[in-house]
Amino acid sequence: MSVSHSSRLNKLVREQYMRLPQDGLVQVTYVWIDGSGEGVRCKSRTLDKEPKSIEDVPEWNFDGSSTAQAEGSNSDMFLVPVRMFRDPFCLDPNKLVLCEVLKYNRKPAETNLRHTCKKVMDLVKDSHPWFGMEQEYTLLGINGHPYGWPDNGFPGPQGPYYCGVGADKVYGRDIVESHYKACLYAGVKICGTNAEVMPSQWEFQVGPCEGIEMGDHLWMARFILHRVCEDFGVVATLDPKPMTGNWNGAGCHTNYSTEEMRREGGLKHIEAAIEKLSKRHDYHICVYDPRGGRDNSRRLTGHHETSNIFEFSAGVANRGASIRIPRQVGQDGYGYFEDRRPAANCDPYAVTEAIMRTTVLNETGVETKDYADH
């Protein structure tokens, strides 16, 4: 089995040091999105006392030339704390802190999509948008081959793996359960997990979250996933189509509702939102992966429980549609709907912002409106 060298280090030796007292001092790990728009970085510092709120965590900086976010001649970037979590690796009273990245001139970095998302969420706060995102991912060995797959071949066809049980059905459950517990400890709003259709592919769900907290909680859940995988010596990839051929891709299905959709008779508001989305399909495809739709083009083929990337569709209980209305919602006449188009490596800030721009702020076309002056 291909695992990293670091995972083979004696973890009992590490525990000896982790149990040492801190004498009232606190380790704070700053987490941010790097210049790829997909990777996360982190570094830690010591504070004199436990921060009780995000305002107690000071700004910091880092070398943006080493994260593809700045040139070496002007490399200092600002880390602005925005949300704090408990640290499941170093334990209480230590913290994980999610940060926005600002450039030298205090303007948001190119991959800081939280900045505009927060503006939009503040504008639409009276509609009380709720989101729940289903993060699919694939476990890989350190050699880039799916974890648990034969070294020189393939496992049996898809069918027995989804929500599977048994050593011949699922690979890496220890990682999945460790990630789940770590998220619960941290305060991430994780709400479930399951094995997916392709072997070594898994999913966890985060939500319901209101407004900007959706992106915050999903990004921290991703960071925790990568850290847990680091301990086990494997890699979690969010590639939307890690294996070519007759294997399912990986998405980040996004469940969404506003307050009026959740009330009795809300189905008419759901249908109105879907109608708006149908007229802006190209715009959403462009923001639903980090490469303007190129990643999703490998996944949204109309096969393997996906819609065709070039066509918009919607239906009740239809997992081959762009938008799925759950059967229970169709029967009750209110609730939520699921946008199945976002890729696994999407930025949740971009996805949730786009949905709000189209369904609540009534934007049309491929251009977005700048609300900076409003």
Side-chain angles (χ1 to χ4, degrees), residues 28-45 60-69 75 77-83 96-102 109 111-112 114 219-220 222-223 226 347 349:
V28 177
T29 299
Y30 288 58
V31 178
W32 71 96
I33 302 163
D34 68 15
S36 70
E38 298 178 73
V40 283
R41 308 287 180 116
C42 71
K43 67 176 190 172
S44 302
R45 72 185 297 180
W60 206 10
N61 58 72
F62 69 96
D63 171 17
S65 68
S66 297
T67 61
Q69 290 171 293
S75 64
M77 309 283 283
F78 295 103
L79 291 172
V80 181
V82 292
R83 196 172 298 272
L96 300 177
V97 173
L98 185 69
C99 300
E100 282 195 31
V101 176
L102 301 183
T111 55
N112 176 3
R114 186 185 192 275
W219 271 114
M220 186 53 70
R222 287 175 174 179
F223 169 79
H226 293 308
D347 189 320
Y349 297 127

Side-chain angles (χ1 to χ4, degrees), residues 117-173:
C117 182
K118 179 69 164 58
K119 287 182 180 179
V120 168
M121 292 303 174
D122 287 344
L123 279 173
V124 302
K125 63 183 179 180
D126 290 341
S127 65
H128 297 288
W130 287 6
F131 300 94
M133 300 186 78
E134 307 169 21
Q135 178 67 70
E136 294 179 334
Y137 62 95
T138 307
L139 295 176
L140 306 177
I142 203 69
N143 61 357
H145 196 61
Y147 182 78
W149 285 33
D151 289 338
N152 298 304
F154 298 91
Q158 296 182 155
Y161 310 111
Y162 172 71
C163 296
V165 178
D168 59 340
K169 306 290 194 308
V170 295
Y171 311 123
R173 192 185 296 275

Side-chain angles (χ1 to χ4, degrees), residues 163-202:
C163 296
V165 178
D168 59 340
K169 306 290 194 308
V170 295
Y171 311 123
R173 192 185 296 275
D174 286 350
I175 297 166
V176 173
E177 293 185 343
S178 297
H179 172 251
Y180 201 154
K181 284 294 185 74
C183 284
L184 289 173
Y185 181 93
V188 170
K189 291 187 175 181
I190 189 169
C191 60
T193 191
N194 58 271
E196 267 303 333
V197 177
M198 186 180 83
S200 299
Q201 186 187 72
W202 294 82

Side-chain angles (χ1 to χ4, degrees), residues 17 42 49 64 102 108 137 145 155 191 194 208-209 218 268 276 296 318 329:
Y17 297 101
C42 71
K49 60 182 179 180
L102 301 183
Y137 62 95
H145 196 61
C191 60
N194 58 271
C209 295
L218 185 58
K268 65 182 180 182
K276 295 174 186 177
N296 240 344
N318 183 358
V329 172

